[in-house]
Amino acid sequence: MAESFKTEIFELDGKNISITTSATESLPIVLVNTFAGEADSLWKECAALDCPPFTLACISGMDWNDDLSPWEIPPLRKNEPPFSGKADSYLAFIVSQALPEILQKLSPPPYIALAGYSLAGLFALYAAHKTKAFSRFIAASPSAWFPRFVDFAKTTPFATKPDSIYLSLGDKESKTKNPLLATVQNNAEILADFYKTQGIKTIFELNKGNHFADNQARLAKGIKWILGD
């Protein structure tokens, strides 16, 4: 990655969008759903890994449990909010509003990848079945425990068969007393195997630590792999 880069930040429909790029020529775009303030640290992690040149577009300000969940499920714990299953609506915002605004500011990219961590990682995998806007997907520590998602992935055709899919988890993520969360590694491995059977270039990596360890570094690893594909 080049040492010099520029960042543009704007607001759209209540969401914050940042675009960071190191060049004016056509580069792959990696679109990441993330929390506010994480774009800079993710860019630095990618630079530390010497990722190939790309444009990083980050969206924040969404309602995490609502906008990124594929369908409604109850809260994981008492006093926590439920998941209201508004992923289709949020994906429509990305495809019809956010992406056109982003693309208007850049040279046409050779491809666009969709990335995310945790529930945003699951959202990326979900989007592969719902839109042709993205051809590569990065799901770092995705919420693969989400009920019925494995069945959904196996029975729902892709909008367009992905070129490649990156999956990762922390090696302690499944070591929990919560029986639902404990399924995360087994489900992630099932998904990775399924994607491979579909002829999709897929990798599944285990990192050290629990779900909350090194989230930006894990995303950056996925971005580097996707860009090198």
Side-chain angles (χ1 to χ4, degrees):
M1 291 172 62
E3 291 185 5
S4 61
F5 60 90
K6 63 178 182 178
T7 298
E8 180 176 354
I9 300 172
F10 61 97
E11 186 175 315
L12 183 65
D13 196 25
K15 313 295 190 299
N16 299 309
I17 301 177
S18 69
I19 303 172
T20 304
T21 189
S22 58
T24 56
E25 72 266 20
S26 175
L27 291 175
I29 296 173
V30 179
L31 179 65
V32 185
N33 289 295
T34 186
F35 289 108
E38 293 190 338
D40 287 347
S41 58
L42 179 55
W43 182 260
K44 290 175 182 177
E45 290 286 355
C46 289
L49 290 178
D50 196 23
C51 287
F54 75 105
T55 295
L56 175 65
C58 291
I59 305 179
S60 62
M62 75 290 290
D63 188 310
W64 199 261
N65 280 22
D66 289 352
D67 292 332
L68 299 175
S69 54
W71 44 80
E72 292 184 52
I73 65 168
L76 288 174
R77 304 174 184 86
K78 290 182 180 180
N79 303 318
E80 289 188 356
F83 300 80
S84 61
K86 296 180 180 178
D88 287 339
S89 177
Y90 179 60
L91 183 58
F93 159 76
I94 291 176
V95 173
S96 65
Q97 296 185 59
L99 262 182
E101 285 289 330
I102 292 167
L103 291 170
Q104 191 175 27
K105 301 173 184 293
L106 300 166
S107 299
Y111 61 84
I112 307 173
L114 182 63
Y117 193 90
S118 191
L119 193 58
L122 186 82
F123 175 83
L125 298 178
Y126 179 74
H129 300 270
K130 294 287 184 170
T131 179
K132 299 178 180 180
F134 310 98
S135 59
R136 306 182 185 198
F137 299 88
I138 302 160
S141 290
S143 302
W145 51 263
F146 205 87
R148 305 187 303 281
F149 187 80
V150 170
D151 289 340
F152 165 83
K154 286 185 170 183
T155 58
T156 307
F158 292 107
T160 298
K161 190 175 87 169
D163 294 333
S164 53
I165 296 177
Y166 176 92
L167 285 155
S168 72
L169 278 179
D171 59 6
K172 295 182 180 179
E173 291 196 49
S174 63
K175 296 174 173 57
T176 171
K177 294 180 181 179
N178 184 306
L180 184 59
L181 296 179
T183 65
V184 66
Q185 183 171 333
N186 184 61
N187 286 356
E189 291 174 346
I190 290 172
L191 287 169
D193 289 342
F194 170 70
Y195 297 143
K196 290 174 183 177
T197 67
Q198 302 305 298
I200 301 166
K201 184 175 181 179
T202 305
I203 188 171
F204 173 71
E205 290 190 332
L206 271 180
N207 301 291
K208 291 183 180 295
N210 60 26
H211 184 67
F212 302 100
D214 305 320
N215 61 324
Q216 299 299 290
R218 292 181 188 179
L219 262 177
K221 285 177 66 177
I223 290 172
K224 182 174 183 179
W225 186 83
I226 284 287
L227 294 172
D229 178 19

